[in-house]
Amino acid sequence: MKVAEYIHGEHSVHDIKYHIVWITKYRYKILTGKVAQRVRKLLIQGCRARGITIIEGSVGKDHIHMLVSAPTNIAPSKIVQYLKGRSSKLLQDEFRDLGKRYWGQHLWARGYFCATVGSVTKDMIQEYIEKQFENGDKNHFKVEF
């Protein structure tokens, strides 16, 4: 088993990774050529500005895939909101042709996909917690769902 490389913050130690995907509005295949190159740069800049590390990324013709490592103080919804909002505005300002298809400043479709990614499984965590209380400690608790 590979040990995770934890990030040490001022008051936390963490390893938070998200797989995030979002699509263009109407699934128009506009992310090609210079537009694709520019959106890639904008996403890299936006992540750097927020302390988010891009582990892997891909610009498809009508969607974005990103695997990111994020600080504990930024919710995944805020990451996506920031990246989609900033990139939409800047792309439409730079590529006027996009405005013909996307009136109203909406380049991206509503919503997104997000899944957490990690090196520790639920079973590993349960086993670790159970071993902490093997001596019959009364503070061990379990909630059944």
Side-chain angles (χ1 to χ4, degrees):
M1 179 179 83
K2 183 182 174 194
V3 177
E5 293 183 25
Y6 293 112
I7 298 167
H8 296 262
E10 288 185 36
H11 302 286
S12 67
V13 177
H14 64 277
D15 177 29
I16 300 174
K17 293 182 181 80
Y18 301 113
H19 174 210
I20 302 171
V21 182
W22 68 89
I23 62 173
T24 58
K25 195 168 185 181
Y26 312 119
R27 297 291 305 234
Y28 287 154
K29 297 181 183 337
I30 56 148
L31 303 176
T32 60
K34 291 184 179 187
V35 175
Q37 291 173 7
R38 184 62 177 142
V39 75
R40 182 179 174 271
K41 287 180 183 177
L42 290 172
L43 295 174
I44 291 169
Q45 290 171 354
C47 285
R48 278 189 187 142
R50 295 286 197 257
I52 299 163
T53 302
I54 300 173
I55 299 165
E56 196 78 34
S58 165
V59 177
K61 291 180 181 178
D62 63 356
H63 66 281
I64 303 290
H65 271 277
M66 295 178 75
L67 175 59
V68 299
S69 175
T72 58
N73 63 338
I74 306 176
S77 60
K78 292 297 179 188
I79 294 169
V80 175
Q81 179 184 32
Y82 172 71
L83 294 175
K84 284 173 66 175
R86 180 176 185 268
S87 62
S88 178
K89 178 174 180 2
L90 293 174
L91 285 172
Q92 289 186 64
D93 287 349
E94 293 176 34
F95 299 95
R96 296 289 180 188
D97 289 347
L98 293 177
K100 295 174 186 172
R101 285 199 148 164
Y102 295 112
W103 25 267
Q105 298 292 319
H106 297 289
L107 176 75
W108 306 111
R110 294 176 83 181
Y112 60 95
F113 166 82
C114 181
T116 56
V117 179
S119 57
V120 180
T121 67
K122 179 183 129 223
D123 292 338
M124 291 166 75
I125 294 169
Q126 283 180 306
E127 183 180 335
Y128 175 81
I129 292 171
E130 287 170 6
K131 285 185 178 181
Q132 298 298 306
F133 302 102
E134 282 181 346
N135 297 330
D137 190 326
K138 302 268 191 248
N139 291 321
H140 186 200
F141 62 92
K142 190 171 189 175
V143 178
E144 298 292 330
F145 290 97

